[in-house]
Amino acid sequence: MTQYRILFIDSYDSFTYNVVRLIEEQGTTENPIEVVTIRNDTFKDINELIGYIHLFDGIVVGPGPGNPLHGSKEVGIINDLFKNPNFVKIPILGICLGFQAMCYASGANINILETIKHGQVYPINITDNKNQIFENYPSIFKSTRYHSLHVTNFENLNTIIPLAHTNDENGKLLMATQINGKPWYGVQYHPESCCSELGAQLIQNFMKIIQSTSKSRDSDNDISKLKLLQKTIDLSPIHDPTSNSNTNTPILKEYNVSNDPNLTFKICDKLNMDKFIMGSSVVSANRGEWSIIAVPSKDSVVLTHYGSLKKTTIHKWQDESLKMKQIHAALKTADAIVNENLEVINEDKESFWHTLGNFMTDRSVAVHQDIPFIGGLVGILGYEMGSYIHFNDNNVLRPDAKLVYIENSIVINHMNGKLYTCSLSTEFPQDISQIVSTVIEQEAQTQLDWDHTLPKGIDYKIDMPNKEDYAKAFGQCQEYMHQGDSYEMCLTTQTQVTPSQRLPPWTIFKTLIKRNPAPFSSFFHFNDILDNTNDILSFISTSPERFLKWNNQTCELRPIKGTVKKSNEMTFEKATEILKSPKEFGENLMILDLIRNDLYELLPNVKVEEFMSVEEYKTVYQLVSVVKAYDLDRSKYAGIDVLKYSLPPGSMTGAPKKITVELLQDEIENILNAPIDDGSRGMYSGVTGYWSANGNGDWSVNIRCMYSYDSGDNWRLGAGGAITVLSTQEGELEEMYTKLESALQVFM
């Protein structure tokens, strides 16, 4: 058996692990392939990498943002890699950015395309089909293009051998090459995209080239060096589901009920107590099948993270000995605190994830996998809890994540008409059981008489996005995409609504449910401190989009990209035609490839189960895909790890994720949305859901939502859309207002 080892150099791209898994999948039992991934800035000097090269049989330089003309500040060591004589004999495959840097180092120029191609599928014409890299290829095949830059002035260079091209509005463009006299190959297109043909064949051919040059290696010292290299990107798990020793069995009672999703809200109407709702007001296969009513008790533990303060508080729900001034004082002190009624931990958001993992370790229950939620953590993770995003240093006591451990819940399956009361305590509360039984008995005779409008006599001051500011932000996005920094940017806006008098969040939620029913409706009113009347976090959502669902075996993401407003003139057929246009197709494809990458980062078995289906909602049509990862139980990761490493949601950022969220936060949205919350997205664009004690999880994207940090004195609503090079300012502004209207309509 011969194991081949590839060094993959990542440029913080959002398609990196699609390429990594594609390479690994070409290995066999007799000849497995190991891929070690580093970043282009892991080493500050190319000479630092030279001491590791003998460990590898080949190098793949992946795609990413940036321009080789701008040197190390944008592409790290990549330019120097192709100029250093120590690498001339090792086989190298450059993809997109890697291809451009390879050609640039060999004398070619790099220019910006007149017409940018992001997420577009084009025919690739092979110029030299006798070259090893294109062995067994047809003369023409299709592949996905993601590039603003292209290689020029190569025709008269004897260093560059053209191997393939494509034709578009820009003319004839170089799509593949070999560097003369070296085992270096490059492709401009993305072979790893789910719409690219023959990507596996490209890697197989590259491995054949490697096999002719491979060598023996790996002394004990080499293995030590390899392990150090493997640790340069930290993908360590935060939770081990097999380490718990909890043998508790939840107490369950089953009821036969109707399939009407309104049953959830009828029960909630009668529950005159604090409750959290993750309910479906629209039921269809694979979305909206379940509703959950989580009821906190005096034993419920509340975990709250304050990102800008780098602190986490832990306490019991409505502990009578705990006052809000004690929380404020504890957050303002520099010390960690452990009292019998309050614990304050000094930690950043990375450590907070580990706090959650440790908290759930001895609370996991390995039973009842057929019920998604039997109790566990429920709550909200704000947008700034995701990777690559920083917290504004405003020292404001506003939570960025808030979760509550629930022992008692009501879980309803709307597809098969089953309701379960679940308790992780000694027994399910009798008073709640009686309410559930009564509502079930009377359901056929009762109607959900919630109002379509809010109470009269209240005025609403609405501060909406400024069109001129939006136009400037749109132009900035286009500039960044055209110069190669991003493929797609999800530009979002913030609206603030100030009622003339405070309304109960429950009243607003009921109206929103009637006006905009959705499969992932949420109600969270965190009334966890008894004497707190002015600083309560409230969150209301009728989201159409699932972010991540998992059980012990699989993970599923359902990205939504592409929106058409419903009207009398807009039929399903017409909406489908619009949503399958090149602009919308490319927008969805980019996020679909990004989602695959987010799953592939931790798990090797990922499949696209549904490719760009049009789904109908109350107010809009949307383009949806489904991506699923398998064999979670065979990996070292749990679903919560996938959640951590894939936030923020790709559908709310764009791609590549790192540079895109940085540009949005630091250069664009901080100015566009400055009047509201210093430009922070807050709870908008984050996720809401649960992590059940039986290992399951389900989280929706915080869109079509509103939230308040001040008990309802002010409500914040976010809305936005993915900007691509094919977007128009007018079209994106209309889409943004369409999405905003879904929630804002209750106040108008």
Side-chain angles (χ1 to χ4, degrees), residues 80-96:
D80 291 339
L81 169 73
F82 293 115
K83 296 176 182 177
N84 193 293
N86 289 282
F87 297 90
V88 295
K89 293 184 179 180
I90 187 168
I92 301 177
L93 175 64
I95 299 172
C96 198

Side-chain angles (χ1 to χ4, degrees), residues 272-453:
N272 189 24
M273 59 186 70
D274 295 307
K275 53 192 172 281
F276 305 130
I277 303 168
M278 293 162 283
S280 171
S281 47
V282 174
V283 179
S284 60
N286 301 316
R287 55 188 172 96
E289 313 102 300
W290 294 87
S291 287
I292 295 166
I293 306 168
V295 185
S297 69
K298 298 292 185 182
D299 293 321
S300 296
V301 179
V302 184
L303 299 98
T304 308
H305 185 65
Y306 299 84
S308 64
L309 303 178
K310 295 185 178 180
K311 288 182 179 290
T312 297
T313 61
I314 303 175
H315 59 81
K316 291 292 185 69
W317 179 268
Q318 296 185 351
D319 185 334
E320 294 180 358
S321 68
L322 185 61
K323 307 300 181 183
M324 198 64 199
K325 65 179 181 180
Q326 184 182 351
I327 296 279
H328 284 175
L331 289 172
K332 291 176 181 178
T333 184
D335 300 324
I337 297 173
V338 180
N339 293 332
E340 56 183 44
N341 66 347
L342 175 65
E343 180 179 1
V344 180
I345 307 171
N346 292 329
E347 62 181 4
D348 58 13
K349 64 183 175 185
E350 178 71 24
S351 298
F352 176 71
W353 284 103
H354 290 276
T355 295
L356 293 181
N358 293 334
F359 179 85
M360 287 294 285
T361 294
D362 58 0
R363 291 174 172 85
S364 299
V365 178
V367 293
H368 296 293
Q369 292 304 314
D370 53 334
I371 301 175
F373 183 79
I374 60 170
L377 287 173
V378 303
I380 309 174
L381 299 165
Y383 173 75
E384 280 77 24
M385 291 299 295
S387 300
Y388 312 125
I389 310 168
H390 61 81
F391 297 99
N392 287 337
D393 189 20
N394 52 22
N395 208 34
V396 176
L397 304 184
R398 289 176 178 167
D400 294 285
K402 201 169 185 74
L403 299 108
V404 182
Y405 185 75
I406 296 295
E407 291 188 319
N408 301 308
S409 57
I410 303 163
V411 184
I412 307 170
N413 186 325
H414 300 299
M415 299 301 288
N416 65 12
K418 297 289 184 182
L419 181 149
Y420 305 89
T421 57
C422 310
S423 180
L424 294 173
S425 185
T426 54
E427 66 173 332
F428 190 83
Q430 290 298 315
D431 57 337
I432 300 179
S433 289
Q434 184 58 52
I435 291 171
V436 170
S437 298
T438 301
V439 173
I440 291 173
E441 291 172 5
Q442 299 176 354
E443 185 192 4
Q445 290 78 42
T446 60
Q447 298 294 320
L448 188 67
D449 56 350
W450 289 358
D451 292 331
H452 279 76
T453 58

Side-chain angles (χ1 to χ4, degrees), residues 175-202:
M175 285 288 115
T177 190
Q178 180 184 358
I179 303 305
N180 197 3
K182 299 174 184 176
W184 294 0
Y185 304 83
V187 295
Q188 176 62 80
Y189 61 86
H190 280 241
E192 81 286 352
S193 172
C194 62
C195 285
S196 290
E197 298 175 347
L198 300 171
Q201 186 66 50
L202 182 79

